[in-house]
Amino acid sequence: MSGTIVHVYFMPGMAASRKIFEYIKLPEEKFRIHLLDWFIPENGQSLIDYAKEMTKKIEHPDPVLLGVSFGGVLVQEMAKLVPVKKVIVVSSVKLKKELPKRMLFARYTKVHKLLPTGLITNVELLAKYAFGESVTKRLDLYEKYLSIRDKKYIDWCIDRLVNWDQTEYADNVVHIQGDKDAVFPIANIKDCIKVPNGTHTMIIHRAKWFNEHLPTIILD
């Protein structure tokens, strides 16, 4: 690997901006970080078609894709369309059966369609959706990290996640999960690298852990 630069593309979670990666640093002599952003989906757009549009932003051969939360689901779909060196999913899931029971329940009852997503201009509520935790004391902080407040986009994300059907994952997928994740509980997840005391927002709050471990995880 000496002399070879590894290009790593980072995809944030639902409604989150690229700023969630502001504390992530990789050695510049080995890595280049590229930050991706969400766009508003077309009416009825499938997840795979959305992934196809997102792959147009990939400008380097055999990159590493890293996605957080729903972004982790998206990069797995992207990796089905373009050759990649590795896929790293953070605070996410890699199989339908790893989704929490409330999401599997929503798949069959469609209860997720009743969620008050029209209120997502309310930062506190949007933070609850996007980060899975109450953030009353840190609203200013979370407002910085939330980028999209479009009802159609939020509805689309929730529906595509609830109805994600993946039953097998590729050999080049590495899963990093916090043991205190309230959105995707680790009790449902197998074959992952556990981050002690890692919550759903650990890419922000445990950036030091990622800076220490990501280079090895990427190159391994």
Side-chain angles (χ1 to χ4, degrees), residues 19-80:
K19 291 178 182 176
I20 67 168
F21 302 116
E22 65 180 337
Y23 302 118
I24 301 300
K25 310 294 181 188
L26 297 175
E28 293 185 359
E29 68 273 14
K30 292 183 178 179
F31 305 99
R32 291 290 181 277
I33 290 176
H34 308 273
L35 304 177
L36 298 172
D37 290 303
W38 293 100
F39 57 88
I40 306 300
E42 296 177 8
N43 288 335
Q45 188 169 26
S46 68
L47 182 58
I48 196 68
D49 282 345
Y50 190 97
K52 192 178 298 182
E53 287 298 310
M54 191 64 77
T55 60
K56 294 176 182 178
K57 302 175 188 283
I58 303 297
E59 299 177 346
H60 303 89
D62 296 315
V64 172
L65 304 182
L66 183 150
V68 175
S69 193
F70 184 52
V73 170
L74 179 63
V75 295
Q76 290 176 77
E77 295 298 317
M78 292 168 63
K80 296 172 184 177

Side-chain angles (χ1 to χ4, degrees), residues 147-176:
S147 62
I148 301 183
R149 303 182 189 181
D150 180 271
K151 173 177 166 51
K152 185 176 84 168
Y153 162 81
I154 299 294
D155 287 342
W156 181 87
C157 288
I158 294 170
D159 188 69
R160 296 302 181 269
L161 176 60
V162 164
N163 289 289
W164 194 49
D165 254 341
Q166 182 157 285
T167 56
E168 296 181 349
Y169 60 93
D171 292 339
N172 65 346
V173 172
V174 177
H175 191 168
I176 304 174

Side-chain angles (χ1 to χ4, degrees), residues 65-69 72-73 76 86-95 97-99 164 166 169-179 181 184-195 200 202 209-210 214 217:
L65 304 182
L66 183 150
V68 175
S69 193
V73 170
Q76 290 176 77
K86 186 169 289 187
V87 176
I88 301 173
V89 299
V90 176
S91 306
S92 188
V93 293
K94 57 192 179 297
L95 297 167
K97 67 181 181 182
E98 292 183 340
L99 290 168
W164 194 49
Q166 182 157 285
Y169 60 93
D171 292 339
N172 65 346
V173 172
V174 177
H175 191 168
I176 304 174
Q177 195 72 9
D179 63 5
D181 195 307
F184 301 118
I186 202 164
N188 300 329
I189 291 168
K190 309 297 182 193
D191 301 321
C192 68
I193 298 170
K194 295 182 182 180
V195 179
H200 198 62
M202 64 183 181
W209 185 97
F210 285 92
L214 272 181
I217 291 170

